[in-house]
Amino acid sequence: MGGPAPPDKSWKGSLNMNYNIGPGFTGNDSFRKIRMRVHNFNKITRIYNVIGTIRGSVEPDRYVILGGHRDAWVFGGIDPTSGAAVLQEIVQSFGKLLSRGWRPRRTIIFASNAEEFGLQGSTEWAEENAETLQERSVAYINSDSSIEGNYTLRVDCTPHLYQLVYKLTKEISSPDDGFESQSLYESWLKKDPSPENKDVPIINKLGSGSDFEAYFQRLGIASGRVRYTKNRKTDKYSSYPVYHTIYETFELVENFYDPTFKKQLSVAQLQGALAYELVDSEIIPFNIQDYAKALENYATSIYNLSKKHDQQLRDHGVSFDSLFSAVKNFSESASDFHRRLTQVDLNNPIAVRIMNDQLTLLERAFIDPFGLPGRRFYRHIIFAPSSHNKYAGESFPGIYDAMFDIENKADPRSAWSEVKKHISIATFTIQAAAGTLTEVV
């Protein structure tokens, strides 16, 4: 390529060559042109959502949804087939339980849809059934690609699912070489500890780019996803190298990514166990205290980010005190709720239902009906896909986006007013969420 060098090293690859950004070419090839022929066919076609339901025996009006897509850009050996196969195996497992006389406490919904073109299948279904899903859904578990690498487990989920994930991974055998007698939790912890707490494995924030988006970011339904991934410390490429290409075949999976299919089995075991626990536990296995800790970390993180503009914070009267106060109140409410949860009378179905409803509806409390600026589809005040990478999650996205590149804004006063506005929105939302956890009188 000709033209100038890229603006910084993040544009450069690892080959021993000059990376330029064009236009044109260099040297003897400067006169050459490239002709591309694109053989795409634009047409309107029909897609189908396939929905299966096992009605709950005790709380049929409470739903746990396990869903994923079955369409692919090309052959889809990894995306989505490795995830679609997991979904099918879990459906078959629940079918076997049914044949033995078991029925779940709550209703479980299995959803298979078309996703690659704008997440259309899940989004349309979730929007069509929005009122029902917001009123009745406990959680959504996403079953997209079950592998994007073969190094270790990767989990993205809402914070009050952390403890359930840790508990279940301790009960599943690790498929990793060298960890034959150890649990999935142990191999995961060894390979990918959390930067904030080395005693537990890292769990990522939910971003977007898959079917959980409408459920989580728009409707406020607790969500999670599970897959095997690459070594993020050494493999710096995004996703996996053959993502959405003609080379993403079954042979690639069978010969290179997961020859024994044990890693996909571990993902299936974990997703199936998550669905089972959520659908059949008398008390929904959410840990609100983990949400409180996460909010403390996120508030500290966004405040530390703002300190790069320390003088401007003072000049424009921007304070994060109200946000930290709301987070403190939420933490106190979460602790009190946890105390009451340990004392609930399990023989009193009304008392159990009240606590479960508070657990279920907490995520809804973080939804703002007005959405984020310029992104009204995204309504979650605590989490949203990054404005600069839709696959990655960002905490306090309203505040983060308002501060992004703020030093180059034409009207600093207006820009910092926007920051204050989003601090206020986050403060109000967290304080309101804390109110949902108080004892019902």
Side-chain angles (χ1 to χ4, degrees):
M1 293 281 287
D8 60 66
K9 64 180 181 180
S10 67
W11 291 53
K12 299 179 182 180
S14 301
L15 299 177
N16 184 24
M17 57 179 288
N18 292 324
Y19 285 84
N20 300 317
I21 61 174
F25 299 93
T26 60
N28 296 331
D29 294 319
S30 61
F31 66 94
R32 294 185 181 274
K33 295 182 179 179
I34 293 177
R35 176 178 295 168
M36 295 182 65
R37 290 188 172 91
V38 180
H39 296 281
N40 286 342
F41 299 95
N42 293 325
K43 66 177 182 178
I44 297 174
T45 190
R46 185 180 295 275
I47 62 173
Y48 295 89
N49 290 325
V50 179
I51 308 296
T53 302
I54 301 175
R55 181 179 169 85
S57 59
V58 180
E59 300 179 81
D61 62 333
R62 290 294 177 260
Y63 303 160
V64 174
I65 307 165
L66 179 61
H69 71 104
R70 63 185 185 278
D71 60 322
W73 279 119
V74 194
F75 298 122
I78 293 175
D79 179 11
T81 307
S82 64
V86 163
L87 179 58
Q88 292 299 316
E89 286 297 309
I90 294 171
V91 170
Q92 188 176 48
S93 297
F94 275 94
K96 289 180 179 178
L97 286 173
L98 278 175
S99 68
R100 297 171 188 165
W102 171 86
R103 292 198 72 83
R105 179 185 179 90
R106 302 177 187 90
T107 295
I108 185 165
I109 297 174
F110 302 104
S112 174
N113 49 263
E115 177 250 27
E116 293 294 4
F117 191 84
L119 311 181
Q120 288 294 311
S122 58
T123 300
E124 292 298 320
W125 189 77
E127 289 186 335
E128 181 180 353
N129 298 283
E131 300 302 325
T132 301
L133 293 174
Q134 281 190 305
E135 181 188 348
R136 301 178 183 177
S137 297
V138 173
Y140 173 82
I141 303 300
N142 197 58
S143 187
D144 203 336
S145 310
S146 63
I147 52 172
E148 61 182 16
N150 51 23
Y151 179 68
T152 192
L153 185 69
R154 173 179 173 178
V155 178
D156 308 2
C157 68
T158 189
H160 49 4
L161 278 169
Y162 289 177
Q163 292 305 316
L164 179 59
V165 170
Y166 291 148
K167 169 183 174 288
L168 295 175
T169 51
K170 291 175 182 178
E171 300 170 1
I172 297 170
S173 298
S174 174
D176 296 357
D177 294 338
F179 292 87
E180 285 79 5
S181 61
Q182 299 184 52
S183 69
L184 181 58
Y185 179 90
E186 289 172 300
S187 61
W188 180 26
L189 174 60
K190 179 72 173 177
K191 293 182 175 185
D192 207 7
S194 169
E196 291 86 20
N197 181 359
K198 300 294 184 183
D199 294 329
V200 295
I202 188 171
I203 294 181
N204 301 287
K205 305 183 191 88
L206 283 165
S208 182
S210 195
D211 287 306
F212 61 84
E213 180 185 87
Y215 300 99
F216 182 61
Q217 307 288 1
R218 187 166 182 81
L219 302 183
I221 297 168
S223 299
R225 68 179 302 189
V226 179
R227 58 199 139 153
Y228 244 74
T229 191
K230 58 187 181 291
N231 185 342
R232 63 187 177 89
K233 300 181 184 73
T234 59
D235 302 332
K236 299 299 184 181
Y237 47 82
S238 175
S239 193
Y240 50 94
V242 297
Y243 179 56
H244 285 177
T245 71
I246 197 171
Y247 304 106
E248 194 182 314
T249 62
F250 177 79
E251 287 74 21
L252 178 79
V253 176
E254 187 178 36
N255 294 323
F256 297 101
Y257 272 87
D258 192 14
T260 63
F261 293 89
K262 288 182 179 178
K263 299 185 192 309
Q264 292 169 82
L265 174 60
S266 294
V267 170
Q269 290 172 327
L270 180 52
Q271 283 188 185
L274 283 168
Y276 181 87
E277 291 289 334
L278 289 165
V279 83
D280 216 40
S281 298
E282 188 167 12
I283 298 293
I284 296 168
F286 288 161
N287 188 306
I288 305 298
Q289 289 179 303
D290 276 353
Y291 221 127
K293 292 174 188 174
L295 288 175
E296 291 170 7
N297 290 337
Y298 301 153
T300 300
S301 178
I302 197 72
Y303 173 70
N304 289 339
L305 184 65
S306 75
K307 296 298 285 182
K308 295 192 304 181
H309 311 284
D310 198 35
Q311 185 60 51
Q312 290 88 344
L313 291 174
R314 290 195 294 269
D315 291 346
H316 297 280
V318 179
S319 172
F320 284 79
D321 290 349
S322 61
L323 179 63
F324 281 109
S325 177
V327 169
K328 181 175 181 292
N329 291 340
F330 183 92
S331 297
E332 291 171 354
S333 295
S335 296
D336 183 63
F337 179 86
H338 182 74
R339 176 189 58 78
R340 288 186 287 109
L341 189 62
T342 61
Q343 299 170 356
V344 68
D345 181 5
L346 298 179
N347 294 315
N348 183 342
I350 301 299
V352 170
R353 177 68 173 230
I354 288 172
M355 300 302 281
N356 278 337
D357 282 352
Q358 288 181 287
L359 287 164
T360 296
L361 296 175
L362 174 65
E363 200 77 62
R364 258 52 119 228
F366 295 119
I367 293 297
D368 182 350
F370 295 104
L372 295 173
R375 301 193 290 163
R376 295 190 63 185
F377 182 89
Y378 300 111
R379 298 176 173 178
H380 206 297
I381 295 303
I382 311 302
F383 300 105
S386 167
S387 294
H388 317 288
N389 176 5
K390 191 174 181 182
Y391 291 97
E394 189 58 68
S395 52
F396 290 121
I399 304 173
Y400 181 88
D401 286 350
M403 288 199 303
F404 184 80
D405 202 30
I406 197 168
E407 63 274 15
N408 295 317
K409 298 289 175 66
D411 184 354
R413 182 178 178 181
S414 175
W416 283 105
S417 292
E418 189 72 5
V419 173
K420 288 194 283 187
K421 169 186 170 183
H422 286 286
I423 293 173
S424 296
I425 291 171
T427 298
F428 171 83
T429 301
I430 293 171
Q431 189 64 52
T436 70
L437 298 176
T438 57
E439 188 168 5
V440 176
V441 293

